Amino acid sequence: MAITGVLRPGHVCIRVLELEPAVRHYVDTIGLTEVMRDKAADGSPRVFLKGWDESDHHSVVLREADESGMDYMGWKVDSDATLEKLSADVKASGLATEMSWIDAGEHPKTGKRFRFTIPTGHVMELYAYREATGCATGYRNPDPWPDDLKGMAPRSFDHCLLYGDDLDGTYKLFTEVLGFGLSEQVVADDGKLMIGAFLSCANKAHDVAFIRQPVKNKLHHVSFLLDNWGEVLKAADIISKRRVSLDIGPTRHGITRGETVYFFDPSGNRNEVFSGGYTWYPDKPVITWTDDQLGTGIFYHDRKLNEKFLSVFT
Amino acid sequence: MAITGVLRPGHVCIRVLELEPAVRHYVDTIGLTEVMRDKAADGSPRVFLKGWDESDHHSVVLREADESGMDYMGWKVDSDATLEKLSADVKASGLATEMSWIDAGEHPKTGKRFRFTIPTGHVMELYAYREATGCATGYRNPDPWPDDLKGMAPRSFDHCLLYGDDLDGTYKLFTEVLGFGLSEQVVADDGKLMIGAFLSCANKAHDVAFIRQPVKNKLHHVSFLLDNWGEVLKAADIISKRRVSLDIGPTRHGITRGETVYFFDPSGNRNEVFSGGYTWYPDKPVITWTDDQLGTGIFYHDRKLNEKFLSVFT
Amino acid sequence: MAITGVLRPGHVCIRVLELEPAVRHYVDTIGLTEVMRDKAADGSPRVFLKGWDESDHHSVVLREADESGMDYMGWKVDSDATLEKLSADVKASGLATEMSWIDAGEHPKTGKRFRFTIPTGHVMELYAYREATGCATGYRNPDPWPDDLKGMAPRSFDHCLLYGDDLDGTYKLFTEVLGFGLSEQVVADDGKLMIGAFLSCANKAHDVAFIRQPVKNKLHHVSFLLDNWGEVLKAADIISKRRVSLDIGPTRHGITRGETVYFFDPSGNRNEVFSGGYTWYPDKPVITWTDDQLGTGIFYHDRKLNEKFLSVFT
Amino acid sequence: MAITGVLRPGHVCIRVLELEPAVRHYVDTIGLTEVMRDKAADGSPRVFLKGWDESDHHSVVLREADESGMDYMGWKVDSDATLEKLSADVKASGLATEMSWIDAGEHPKTGKRFRFTIPTGHVMELYAYREATGCATGYRNPDPWPDDLKGMAPRSFDHCLLYGDDLDGTYKLFTEVLGFGLSEQVVADDGKLMIGAFLSCANKAHDVAFIRQPVKNKLHHVSFLLDNWGEVLKAADIISKRRVSLDIGPTRHGITRGETVYFFDPSGNRNEVFSGGYTWYPDKPVITWTDDQLGTGIFYHDRKLNEKFLSVFT
């Protein structure tokens, strides 16, 4: 296959303070489908969800906890052999800590996962198998979209933006060990300091992004994919109709060109729904944003950062 | 890199009966940018073009000839090593004929190309190098789109749909030798005969498609990428404003879910501009269309094939 | 008020062959709201419906009958005084036949109606009162659209296009007696014969249109208003998802510029959902389409009339 | 005609501090067409402009002056008789001051205008004649939009929002004398005080709006009509590409449901481009916004007023 190694962000586990309001948010407002519930090993209840266009069993996990934020993000790789190779490479790199294998079945319908902590403090996982229980339109003479869509009805979990201190280490791990490419970067100090890295493992403008901030293991937002700018307006309308806490938008990002709206789940985790972007290839020249233009890069229309973007995260 | 091997369709060379009307069509109506002109080895004049969002030097070549159709389609691979390996694999496969190396420079700003004929009679090329002369918005604090767009203003050349007889051989070559995946297929005879194959080398719903027809080396259409359904309407309006020959649309494809309009260049070659589709991955279950639903697969709204779709090609 | 006289098309009564399939079509597929049911004076069952953004009690009436088509179209006028004056003017004009008053209450929540037959054979009504039972979003701090929309979810019944023979008489009646303006016309015979008249009683590009055809009292289509071209695509998708009979589209009309899709109800009555158009004023110059460009006027992209447009009506 | 009396806002005269930057803004950025230039009676240079879909000779006048703001807004009425009647009614109402007739020709291609000052301090004009020099697409087999559109390319000047103190007087004048209807209102003090009035003279959700503020004769914004939400995004992108001062948006208004972006011309006058809204009729129940929901009414997504909305005007 021409797409090899790490395929895509396969799951994100989000901590929520109360499960039921969180489920109402992710199911009724955002429009994900609840797939099943269980309890984590420590007894905390979990809910598994997915977007209507996702084939694998689940992509979003909500776990009830005392503090909001992200437990971990998981990456599906193309094969067991790649899982073995990349886990060995991560170990050999000296860039990761707290490495362990999670047994098959700890996530339902999912094989074993290699878990490790990256230099910015985030927990990442690699796995090769999750049962393809199927998307909502099926695979035989399918309609372009299913009946009974709810809320914003994103197609799929798409990416996370994460805050952390050792951006250099995380960048090195993702590009040199895991095979990601740099689609866009933000630089300061006349280009001598990278303060933002937008990373792609396939064709999307980004699969994960990191912003240098003097913190460890922080989540800026979890993002879901919409079809178009009209759907972004519908999502923004739903945010107001349902009295959800809006962050900013609808607007366009300069970085990745995406059309976007940001808002918060009931536990204070930031969500994004977005559309647009471009098809990235590894031979595409890297796009560089200078810190004096960071406002335009983040919010293309406002052309300035709002305080919340930098100071509110979980 | 997680995208390896064949990256994307890098060029298509289209034969046109008269160069100037063709240039007016591809530049003024479609909105590609003319990059340069030269003459092919046989003296026939050529024009090189690209979409505004493409980094490499060119992607579309118009060559004046006595007969319309497609001379060849070229695929950019990730490295010289891959070029060597894939060319050897193609030779070893026994599936290709008329193999040869084209010298670096025969296409401007382009390295050597390995040319071969596939079982359906089409000429394909692999190459590893083309100078990244840059897209229209640049790579430093770029705007999301450039000034002075013309016509339909597609971002890029996207894919071709081709007609030919030995679909099995071509399918085997693309999937087993070149590493493509099958995103969607059309089957007849209770599923025993594949009559259409939609193939992806990366994340797009298709990079090339083949339809089984009792002909050799025929072009059904060359397709260009638009941003959204609103741009498809604008394109359809431009088709009428400029009295271009419309084929069908605006409409939606069932296959790939794309939003589309088909039309003809002055030489009778069919063009498409489209938007939409989905993000394909190699572990996504294959979508299968049965021949009784082929009409719906091709034109989702009309739900029937028009005669022209099957009988008009170049 | 600056809008005086005839305000808008307030109702259309459509004959359907079987009530239940018709209700499923107009409610589940199109997305109108069922308001109530009763029986007409002759005992035939009726269903009253409206779009989500309409304030008055109902706008669409389905009546079960042996033959499909349009029973009558009703026009709301601004006051009882206007109703008296216009009914007298219609009588005095000599252009109408079969004039009568329908008692208040024959339509629920509706005042008395003046019914008359126009020269093309269609039955028209004028009325001044219908209870404003309210639109779905209410009138106090309203959201821009309601929850629980179904199907295509048009805002409102918008207009009808009608076929008939004595276009000159009907045109005279609407413009000279009822105060309509001509927004666009189609002419033949070097402009000497009007074959199509698009008439507006307020600001819309048309509230009713008549095409000269050698028939009496025929319905070409009943049209409902969507918000935008993206909704037209969604409607066309729903047509295919629900296996509704498509006529043509999505496409654009040259006449009125509207973005449209045509389809049929289970009784063979043609429906349209559309968006776009322009704000018409009585001092706007009339747009004229010549019969050689009628195809472009009707279907701007295809630029030719399909046979069905002229020959299929109810 | 069913639209009688005051037809529409026919012109607005905007004061700009320097003519050339203003022309570049209104022509190159917004995309109005410059029609002609002259000098006002006091010698100050003027430029006349219009949108591509407007039939009359001009709709926007820029006048170079020492202070920004609005000189006057003009209303086209349906006939000379109406002009006579309404001017007499305004005089008789006792609600207007500084009444005068402006000679035909003071505005090019325009008849005499009746000028008066309303209780909020704004100068209004009525006129019955302006030459219909034609819209850009013409009136014979027209295309739906013209070639060579520039910038945001609005169809037309649409409305103004104005700030002033004596809202009651102005409301009374527009509704009781000029025949406008109230489409939406904002109320305070448990509904006892009207603080905002959105007024329509035909079918649009508003043709002019007034906000109660302790000032005289202030302009909040001049608004231009776009086709759809996609065009609003394009406009917002152009604002950033051309480094225009953004106010807020893209977003939706709760009041009128419009999709909008606000920005400033080089003299500090606020502009809006918008799409959407609804078809208003005089029998539609009035929509009421309570002052506690004013934020949501103005900016439906943010649900709070920004300081600039209330404090920045010209």
Side-chain angles (χ1 to χ4, degrees):
Chain A
M1 285 300 169
I3 298 191
T4 55
V6 178
L7 298 178
R8 67 175 169 273
H11 59 251
V12 60
C13 183
I14 306 168
R15 290 189 302 273
V16 297
L17 304 181
E18 284 187 281
L19 203 60
E20 290 315 320
V23 169
R24 286 196 294 275
H25 175 83
Y26 285 93
V27 171
D28 295 340
T29 300
I30 296 188
L32 300 180
T33 302
E34 182 180 329
V35 178
M36 68 168 283
R37 299 191 179 204
D38 71 3
K39 285 189 193 300
D42 69 353
S44 52
R46 300 191 297 192
V47 179
F48 296 84
L49 308 141
K50 68 191 290 185
W52 67 263
D53 200 23
E54 297 187 81
S55 296
D56 283 356
H57 177 264
H58 65 269
S59 61
V60 174
V61 190
L62 305 178
R63 186 175 72 82
E64 196 171 76
D66 293 337
E67 198 178 5
S68 57
M70 183 181 85
D71 270 352
Y72 51 84
M73 192 176 173
W75 298 90
K76 191 167 188 188
V77 303
D78 67 345
S79 64
D80 289 332
T82 294
L83 180 57
E84 294 307 318
K85 179 180 184 311
L86 288 178
S87 62
D89 291 349
V90 168
K91 285 177 192 167
S93 73
L95 290 165
T97 55
E98 297 175 71
M99 288 164 282
S100 65
W101 285 95
I102 311 298
D103 286 346
E106 196 280 330
H107 266 208
K109 313 278 186 187
T110 302
K112 66 176 180 176
R113 292 129 64 201
F114 177 68
R115 181 180 286 181
F116 55 103
T117 300
I118 61 174
T120 42
H122 303 91
V123 178
M124 295 286 158
E125 297 180 344
L126 303 176
Y127 68 101
Y129 175 75
R130 177 162 298 144
E131 189 178 323
T133 48
C135 70
T137 47
Y139 303 98
R140 191 170 179 85
N141 304 320
D143 287 316
W145 43 275
D147 292 339
D148 302 320
L149 292 173
K150 294 175 68 172
M152 303 170 181
R155 293 189 176 192
S156 53
F157 162 53
D158 192 84
H159 68 267
C160 293
L161 189 146
L162 305 172
Y163 275 10
D165 50 0
D166 185 2
L167 177 60
D168 303 321
T170 284
Y171 173 68
K172 188 178 174 72
L173 179 60
F174 271 81
T175 54
E176 297 185 10
V177 181
L178 297 175
F180 283 60
L182 182 69
S183 58
E184 308 204 18
Q185 63 178 338
V186 186
V187 297
D189 275 354
D190 287 327
K192 292 191 291 286
L193 183 69
M194 176 190 278
I195 58 174
F198 292 75
L199 297 163
S200 178
C201 61
N203 265 166
K204 288 158 52 184
H206 60 334
D207 288 298
V208 67
F210 294 94
I211 302 289
R212 186 189 297 270
Q213 288 281 309
V215 291
K216 282 282 184 205
N217 189 21
K218 290 299 179 185
L219 171 68
H220 185 271
H221 69 259
V222 174
S223 187
F224 303 93
L225 180 66
L226 299 179
D227 270 13
N228 57 57
W229 173 239
E231 296 296 300
V232 174
L233 175 62
K234 193 185 81 171
D237 286 346
I238 289 171
I239 287 168
S240 286
K241 282 164 68 80
R242 298 180 67 91
R243 304 296 181 254
V244 171
S245 174
L246 177 76
D247 185 23
I248 192 167
T251 188
R252 183 195 285 283
H253 293 306
I255 298 171
T256 76
R257 297 184 194 154
E259 302 143 357
T260 179
V261 61
Y262 282 161
F263 53 103
F264 294 99
D265 78 9
S267 303
N269 296 301
R270 188 186 277 101
N271 297 152
E272 177 188 47
V273 289
F274 84 106
S275 64
Y278 52 82
T279 306
W280 180 81
Y281 289 100
D283 62 339
K284 185 180 192 297
V286 175
I287 291 174
T288 297
W289 295 83
T290 52
D291 53 348
D292 61 308
Q293 294 296 314
L294 181 56
T296 302
I298 302 293
F299 302 122
Y300 184 69
H301 300 137
D302 277 354
R303 282 167 280 161
K304 56 180 185 290
L305 278 182
N306 62 8
E307 176 60 20
K308 271 200 291 192
F309 184 85
L310 291 177
S311 61
V312 178
F313 44 79
T314 55
Chain B
M1 286 300 169
I3 299 192
T4 54
V6 177
L7 299 178
R8 67 175 167 273
H11 59 251
V12 61
C13 184
I14 306 166
R15 291 188 304 270
V16 298
L17 304 180
E18 281 187 281
L19 203 59
E20 291 315 319
V23 169
R24 286 196 296 274
H25 174 83
Y26 286 93
V27 171
D28 296 339
T29 299
I30 297 189
L32 300 180
T33 303
E34 181 178 331
V35 178
M36 67 169 283
R37 300 191 178 204
D38 72 2
K39 283 189 195 299
D42 69 353
S44 54
R46 300 192 297 193
V47 179
F48 297 84
L49 308 141
K50 68 191 291 185
W52 67 263
D53 200 23
E54 297 187 83
S55 296
D56 283 357
H57 178 266
H58 65 269
S59 61
V60 174
V61 190
L62 305 178
R63 186 175 72 82
E64 196 171 78
D66 293 336
E67 197 179 6
S68 56
M70 182 181 84
D71 270 352
Y72 50 84
M73 192 176 174
W75 299 89
K76 192 169 188 187
V77 303
D78 68 344
S79 66
D80 288 332
T82 295
L83 180 57
E84 294 308 318
K85 179 179 185 310
L86 289 178
S87 62
D89 291 350
V90 168
K91 283 177 191 166
S93 74
L95 292 164
T97 55
E98 297 175 71
M99 290 165 280
S100 64
W101 285 95
I102 310 297
D103 286 344
E106 196 279 331
H107 266 207
K109 313 278 187 187
T110 302
K112 65 177 181 177
R113 292 132 61 202
F114 177 68
R115 181 179 287 180
F116 54 103
T117 299
I118 61 174
T120 41
H122 303 92
V123 179
M124 295 285 158
E125 298 181 344
L126 303 175
Y127 67 101
Y129 176 75
R130 178 162 297 144
E131 189 178 322
T133 49
C135 70
T137 49
Y139 304 97
R140 192 171 178 84
N141 303 320
D143 288 316
W145 44 275
D147 292 339
D148 302 321
L149 292 174
K150 294 175 68 171
M152 304 170 182
R155 294 188 175 192
S156 53
F157 161 53
D158 193 84
H159 68 266
C160 292
L161 190 146
L162 305 172
Y163 275 10
D165 50 1
D166 184 2
L167 177 59
D168 303 320
T170 284
Y171 173 67
K172 188 177 174 72
L173 179 61
F174 271 81
T175 54
E176 297 185 9
V177 181
L178 297 174
F180 283 60
L182 181 70
S183 59
E184 309 203 18
Q185 63 179 338
V186 185
V187 296
D189 274 354
D190 286 325
K192 294 191 291 286
L193 182 71
M194 176 189 279
I195 59 175
F198 293 73
L199 298 162
S200 177
C201 61
N203 267 164
K204 288 158 53 186
H206 61 334
D207 288 299
V208 67
F210 294 93
I211 303 289
R212 187 189 296 269
Q213 288 280 308
V215 291
K216 282 282 182 203
N217 189 22
K218 289 300 179 184
L219 170 68
H220 184 271
H221 69 259
V222 174
S223 185
F224 302 93
L225 180 66
L226 299 180
D227 271 13
N228 56 58
W229 174 239
E231 295 296 301
V232 174
L233 176 61
K234 194 184 81 170
D237 287 346
I238 289 171
I239 286 168
S240 285
K241 283 164 66 80
R242 298 181 67 92
R243 305 294 182 255
V244 170
S245 175
L246 176 75
D247 185 23
I248 192 167
T251 189
R252 184 196 283 283
H253 293 305
I255 299 171
T256 77
R257 298 184 193 154
E259 302 142 357
T260 180
V261 60
Y262 283 160
F263 52 103
F264 294 99
D265 79 8
S267 303
N269 296 300
R270 189 186 277 101
N271 296 153
E272 177 188 48
V273 288
F274 83 108
S275 63
Y278 53 81
T279 306
W280 180 82
Y281 289 100
D283 62 340
K284 185 179 192 300
V286 175
I287 291 173
T288 297
W289 295 83
T290 51
D291 54 347
D292 60 308
Q293 294 296 315
L294 181 58
T296 302
I298 301 293
F299 301 123
Y300 184 69
H301 299 138
D302 278 353
R303 284 168 278 161
K304 57 179 184 291
L305 279 182
N306 61 8
E307 175 60 20
K308 270 201 291 191
F309 184 85
L310 292 177
S311 62
V312 178
F313 45 78
T314 54
Chain C
M1 286 299 169
I3 299 193
T4 55
V6 178
L7 299 178
R8 67 175 169 274
H11 59 250
V12 61
C13 183
I14 306 168
R15 292 189 303 271
V16 297
L17 304 181
E18 284 187 281
L19 203 59
E20 292 314 320
V23 170
R24 285 196 296 276
H25 175 83
Y26 285 93
V27 172
D28 297 338
T29 299
I30 295 188
L32 300 179
T33 301
E34 181 178 329
V35 178
M36 68 168 282
R37 298 189 180 206
D38 72 2
K39 285 189 194 297
D42 68 354
S44 54
R46 298 191 298 191
V47 179
F48 296 83
L49 308 141
K50 69 191 290 188
W52 67 261
D53 200 22
E54 296 187 82
S55 296
D56 283 357
H57 177 265
H58 65 268
S59 60
V60 174
V61 190
L62 305 179
R63 186 175 72 83
E64 197 171 76
D66 293 336
E67 195 178 8
S68 56
M70 183 182 86
D71 269 353
Y72 51 83
M73 192 176 172
W75 299 88
K76 191 168 187 187
V77 304
D78 68 344
S79 66
D80 288 333
T82 295
L83 179 58
E84 295 306 320
K85 179 181 185 309
L86 288 179
S87 61
D89 290 349
V90 168
K91 284 177 191 164
S93 73
L95 291 164
T97 56
E98 297 174 74
M99 289 164 283
S100 63
W101 285 96
I102 311 297
D103 286 344
E106 195 279 331
H107 266 209
K109 314 278 186 188
T110 302
K112 66 176 179 176
R113 292 131 60 203
F114 177 69
R115 182 179 286 181
F116 55 104
T117 299
I118 62 175
T120 40
H122 303 91
V123 179
M124 296 285 158
E125 299 181 343
L126 303 175
Y127 68 100
Y129 176 75
R130 176 162 298 144
E131 189 179 323
T133 48
C135 70
T137 48
Y139 304 97
R140 191 170 179 83
N141 304 318
D143 288 315
W145 43 274
D147 291 338
D148 301 320
L149 293 173
K150 292 174 71 172
M152 303 170 182
R155 293 187 176 193
S156 53
F157 162 53
D158 193 84
H159 68 267
C160 293
L161 190 146
L162 305 172
Y163 276 10
D165 51 0
D166 185 3
L167 176 60
D168 303 321
T170 285
Y171 172 70
K172 188 177 173 74
L173 178 60
F174 271 81
T175 55
E176 297 185 11
V177 181
L178 297 174
F180 283 60
L182 182 68
S183 57
E184 309 203 18
Q185 63 179 337
V186 185
V187 298
D189 275 354
D190 287 325
K192 293 191 291 285
L193 182 70
M194 176 190 280
I195 57 174
F198 292 75
L199 297 163
S200 177
C201 61
N203 266 165
K204 288 159 51 186
H206 59 334
D207 288 299
V208 67
F210 293 94
I211 302 289
R212 186 190 297 269
Q213 288 280 308
V215 291
K216 282 279 184 207
N217 189 22
K218 290 300 177 184
L219 170 67
H220 185 270
H221 69 259
V222 174
S223 185
F224 302 94
L225 180 65
L226 299 180
D227 270 13
N228 56 56
W229 174 238
E231 296 297 300
V232 174
L233 175 61
K234 193 184 82 170
D237 287 345
I238 288 170
I239 288 168
S240 286
K241 283 164 66 80
R242 297 180 67 91
R243 305 295 181 253
V244 170
S245 175
L246 176 77
D247 183 23
I248 193 167
T251 189
R252 184 196 283 284
H253 293 306
I255 298 170
T256 77
R257 295 184 195 154
E259 301 141 357
T260 180
V261 61
Y262 282 160
F263 53 102
F264 295 99
D265 79 7
S267 304
N269 295 300
R270 189 186 277 101
N271 297 152
E272 177 187 48
V273 289
F274 83 106
S275 63
Y278 52 81
T279 307
W280 180 81
Y281 290 100
D283 63 340
K284 186 180 191 299
V286 175
I287 291 174
T288 297
W289 294 84
T290 51
D291 54 346
D292 60 308
Q293 294 296 313
L294 180 57
T296 301
I298 302 292
F299 302 122
Y300 184 68
H301 299 138
D302 276 354
R303 282 167 279 162
K304 55 180 184 291
L305 279 182
N306 61 9
E307 176 60 21
K308 273 201 289 192
F309 184 86
L310 291 178
S311 61
V312 178
F313 45 77
T314 54
Chain D
M1 285 301 169
I3 299 191
T4 55
V6 178
L7 299 178
R8 66 174 169 274
H11 59 251
V12 60
C13 183
I14 306 166
R15 292 189 302 272
V16 297
L17 304 181
E18 283 188 281
L19 202 61
E20 291 314 321
V23 169
R24 285 196 296 275
H25 174 83
Y26 286 92
V27 172
D28 296 339
T29 298
I30 296 188
L32 300 179
T33 302
E34 182 178 330
V35 178
M36 68 167 283
R37 300 190 178 204
D38 72 2
K39 284 189 195 299
D42 68 355
S44 54
R46 300 191 297 193
V47 179
F48 296 84
L49 307 141
K50 68 190 292 186
W52 68 261
D53 200 23
E54 297 186 81
S55 295
D56 282 357
H57 178 264
H58 65 269
S59 60
V60 174
V61 190
L62 306 177
R63 185 176 71 83
E64 196 170 76
D66 293 336
E67 198 177 4
S68 56
M70 184 181 84
D71 270 352
Y72 52 83
M73 193 176 171
W75 299 89
K76 192 167 187 187
V77 304
D78 68 344
S79 65
D80 288 332
T82 295
L83 179 59
E84 294 307 318
K85 178 181 186 307
L86 288 178
S87 61
D89 291 348
V90 168
K91 284 178 190 164
S93 73
L95 291 164
T97 57
E98 296 174 75
M99 290 164 281
S100 64
W101 286 96
I102 311 297
D103 286 346
E106 196 279 331
H107 266 209
K109 314 279 186 187
T110 302
K112 66 176 179 175
R113 293 130 61 202
F114 177 67
R115 179 180 288 182
F116 54 105
T117 299
I118 61 175
T120 42
H122 302 92
V123 179
M124 295 286 158
E125 298 181 344
L126 302 176
Y127 68 99
Y129 175 75
R130 177 162 298 144
E131 188 179 323
T133 49
C135 69
T137 47
Y139 304 97
R140 191 170 180 83
N141 303 320
D143 287 316
W145 44 274
D147 292 338
D148 301 320
L149 293 173
K150 293 175 70 172
M152 303 169 182
R155 292 188 177 192
S156 53
F157 161 53
D158 192 84
H159 68 267
C160 292
L161 189 147
L162 305 172
Y163 276 10
D165 51 1
D166 185 2
L167 178 59
D168 304 322
T170 285
Y171 173 69
K172 189 177 173 70
L173 178 60
F174 271 81
T175 55
E176 296 185 10
V177 182
L178 297 174
F180 283 60
L182 182 69
S183 57
E184 309 202 19
Q185 63 179 339
V186 186
V187 297
D189 276 354
D190 286 326
K192 294 191 290 286
L193 183 69
M194 177 190 278
I195 59 174
F198 292 75
L199 297 162
S200 178
C201 61
N203 266 167
K204 287 159 52 184
H206 60 333
D207 288 300
V208 66
F210 295 93
I211 304 288
R212 187 189 297 269
Q213 287 282 307
V215 292
K216 282 278 184 208
N217 189 21
K218 290 299 179 185
L219 170 68
H220 185 271
H221 70 258
V222 175
S223 187
F224 303 93
L225 180 65
L226 298 180
D227 271 13
N228 56 57
W229 173 239
E231 295 297 300
V232 174
L233 175 62
K234 193 184 83 169
D237 287 345
I238 289 170
I239 287 168
S240 285
K241 284 164 66 82
R242 298 181 67 93
R243 305 295 182 256
V244 170
S245 175
L246 176 77
D247 185 23
I248 192 167
T251 188
R252 183 195 283 283
H253 292 307
I255 299 170
T256 75
R257 298 183 195 155
E259 302 142 356
T260 178
V261 61
Y262 281 162
F263 52 101
F264 295 99
D265 79 6
S267 303
N269 296 300
R270 189 185 276 99
N271 296 153
E272 177 187 48
V273 288
F274 83 107
S275 62
Y278 53 81
T279 305
W280 180 82
Y281 289 100
D283 62 342
K284 186 181 190 300
V286 175
I287 291 174
T288 297
W289 295 83
T290 53
D291 54 346
D292 60 309
Q293 294 296 315
L294 180 57
T296 302
I298 303 293
F299 301 122
Y300 183 69
H301 299 139
D302 278 352
R303 285 167 277 162
K304 58 179 185 291
L305 278 182
N306 62 7
E307 176 59 21
K308 272 199 292 190
F309 185 84
L310 291 177
S311 63
V312 178
F313 44 78
T314 55

